Amino acid sequence: MNSLHRRLIASLIVLALTFTLSLFAREYSNSHGTNIYAETLTIDVFDSLSNYQGIQSGWFAKLVLDKFNIKLNIITPYVAGGGDTIYQTRTAAGELGDLIICDGSNRNLQDLVTAGLVMDMQELLKDKDIMQYELAIRTLNDPISDTAIYAIPSEISLNNCLVYSENEEPAYGPYLRYDLYTAIGSPRIGTLEDLLDVLQEMQNVSPVGNDHESVYGFSLFKDLDSNMLDAARQLACLYGYDEYGFVLYKADGSDQQSILAIDSVYQHILKFYFDANQRGLLDPASLNQTYQDVYHKCTSGSVLFSCQPWLGKSAYNTEANMDQGSGFMFVPIEDMQILLKGCLPLGDAGKIIAIGTNAEDPARLAAFIDWLYSPEGIYANSAQSVTGTAGPEDLTWAMTDHGPALTDFGLRALSNENPPVPDKWGSGTWNSGISRLNFNSISLIDNAPNGYPYYYTLWDSYKQSQRTALELTWKKDMKAENSLDYLMQHDKYLVCPGIKYQTSGESLEISTLRRQCRRLITDYSWQMIFAPDEETFYLLQDEMRRSAESLGYDQVLEEDLQNVAIQNELRAEAIALLQ
């Protein structure tokens, strides 16, 4: 066992003994505070997780401006165009951003440090509240330096690695327009393939959306593509698979697959999307549209299926629609085994935040990062409609004698009515002001210092308010309180232990080969889905495999498989510590 493995196991042992420590030890102020910064500072935020390009606007922008006199100019590779090219170009120029949110796993953080693109935050953070998460922070940074802090991991949790991190909805699941599903008699869906017949019937019932656009079963986007087509990876999660490089592995460690293997779940899903397209169920605009385009189509009723509650439900399930019995709801597929992500006591190295070396006023940016990890920052930065926090206290929620509860404004905002924000909180609408960072600093399943989870959907007050016609119908039909309750009742889930193996860094050769291969794989995957006929689909499949192998795919795959094996060992050891 190498030194990195020993440090990780030692950390897990400490964590197993101490994870019951509570956040109650520290109280935070929830006031806006006094702005001590005289000069307004516009900072470039290079954010590979965001779906938004430009200056942050609305109520979150005002909150950050009032507290730090900062304006956030978000630079998003996949919206700006070019994907990895923009990252490489800015990296080569020595100026990635003032604030950097990106993948820090494997060699990525080491590369940023070696290139001199991120600064050491050790002195800037040493007296700040964020250091209560020092174990997670040190575990991320120790492979590079045991005396420096170059980045902070995301999704840090005080729960153990077997506690699932989702709220009442899994991160990925089969969500259908439930009103149309019941209109065709709520047919049984035995397998993923059965879903196509169901969507075809639903499309026949409602062929045109509210904006007179054609209705499709699936509408996809490229924004999140990386090692593979993200839309395919998401469907693999319905069967308990997670991603590591070019490998899809079962959460229980029972299976590891190369995504290019002919019989892999990845190839199976590409064929599924091809079949959907042949039947007129796949939006032809999927090749060129963005997340925002798909969100709009979901809002207008032009999409029938969503693999994410934060897309379909967030976009379409307004209070008005749900009162009329219309909206996206979880519909089970009989052979599914939904992936639930375990909490990450050591955080997620795949999503990190750092300060750029050339940033102006780094102390102010360190204070901003510290705030993102405070209760006030978590409530504000992670606010969404279904899978996030409630937003700022006194605007969207308030503490009552019976615990936290949404305000009237909060009920409207978080049920997708998109109300105008009161003047004292900023201009524009609620949705236009939501944080565009797409970065959860702390696991939202964790409790805030007030003793209640950050997820507002887990508050008793919210559960008691779920009384729309749609929700009541679904609960009666499924005999469950919510999607997660259904999964638990029917044992249709796999928890992926929240231990992510952080390698000391892959070689420059492997990194280069990976970049070449993943670009080829995603390009071919889209071509296969939109192939004119089955013969062409299989020709492209064979061509993709041979071309990737000629670029060195097998070398990268071998390393990924080795890392998955090590990760499985670490998870087994972590689980043993908890027993």
Side-chain angles (χ1 to χ4, degrees), residues 44-46 90 95-100 117 355-359:
D44 286 341
V45 183
F46 182 88
R90 294 181 68 88
E95 188 68 52
L96 192 54
D98 302 306
L99 197 67
I100 299 165
L117 294 171
I355 299 175
T357 305
N358 297 323

Side-chain angles (χ1 to χ4, degrees), residues 278-299:
Q278 293 295 302
R279 297 173 65 161
L281 290 170
L282 180 58
D283 184 353
S286 296
L287 280 166
N288 302 307
Q289 63 191 359
T290 66
Y291 165 83
Q292 294 297 336
D293 296 327
V294 177
Y295 189 93
H296 171 75
K297 290 180 178 181
C298 288
T299 302

Side-chain angles (χ1 to χ4, degrees), residues 290-527:
T290 66
Y291 165 83
Q292 294 297 336
D293 296 327
V294 177
Y295 189 93
H296 171 75
K297 290 180 178 181
C298 288
T299 302
S300 66
S302 298
V303 183
L304 302 175
F305 176 90
S306 173
C307 199
Q308 318 93 342
W310 41 267
L311 181 52
K313 289 189 75 171
S314 293
Y316 187 82
N317 287 23
T318 64
E319 196 79 13
N321 283 340
M322 291 191 294
D323 280 340
Q324 295 174 9
S326 181
F328 282 89
M329 297 296 283
F330 184 95
V331 175
I333 299 173
E334 290 182 6
D335 69 344
M336 69 185 182
Q337 206 171 24
I338 302 290
L339 177 74
L340 299 181
K341 299 290 186 74
C343 289
L344 296 165
L346 301 179
D348 185 356
K351 301 171 185 175
I352 60 166
I353 189 166
I355 299 175
T357 305
N358 297 323
E360 184 180 350
D361 201 349
R364 197 188 317 189
L365 298 190
F368 175 63
I369 291 175
D370 182 54
W371 178 75
L372 289 175
Y373 285 75
S374 74
E376 184 187 39
I378 297 164
Y379 280 122
N381 177 55
S382 296
Q384 295 180 32
S385 53
V386 176
T387 59
T389 58
E393 186 174 6
D394 298 329
L395 173 63
T396 49
W397 68 279
M399 184 58 71
T400 73
D401 292 339
H402 304 289
L406 297 179
T407 62
D408 288 341
F409 176 85
L411 284 168
R412 293 171 57 208
L414 296 167
S415 63
N416 304 312
E417 290 187 20
N418 196 23
V421 174
D423 290 342
K424 65 176 286 189
W425 289 91
S427 58
T429 62
W430 168 257
N431 287 349
S432 66
I434 288 174
S435 170
R436 306 299 181 180
L437 297 178
N438 198 22
F439 179 86
N440 287 336
S441 55
I442 302 301
S443 172
L444 304 184
I445 201 75
D446 279 28
N447 285 347
N450 60 29
Y452 294 89
Y454 284 108
Y455 278 129
Y456 72 89
T457 55
L458 298 181
W459 298 347
D460 289 340
S461 59
Y462 178 79
K463 293 177 182 177
Q464 293 165 5
S465 72
Q466 293 177 289
R467 294 291 183 269
T468 64
L470 176 66
E471 291 162 327
L472 291 174
T473 297
W474 186 91
K475 289 180 180 184
K476 180 181 177 182
D477 292 346
M478 297 296 169
K479 299 180 176 58
E481 283 301 305
N482 52 54
S483 304
L484 214 55
D485 182 36
Y486 180 93
L487 293 175
M488 299 298 160
Q489 285 187 41
H490 297 273
D491 194 25
K492 294 290 187 182
Y493 67 96
L494 276 180
V495 176
C496 189
I499 301 298
K500 291 196 171 184
Y501 174 54
Q502 169 73 347
T503 72
S504 56
E506 62 187 25
S507 68
L508 180 59
E509 178 188 13
I510 293 294
S511 295
T512 302
L513 294 177
R514 185 185 301 281
R515 281 195 298 272
Q516 294 173 346
C517 289
R518 69 186 182 192
R519 190 177 300 117
L520 180 142
I521 289 168
T522 54
D523 287 347
Y524 267 100
S525 295
W526 282 108
Q527 291 178 52

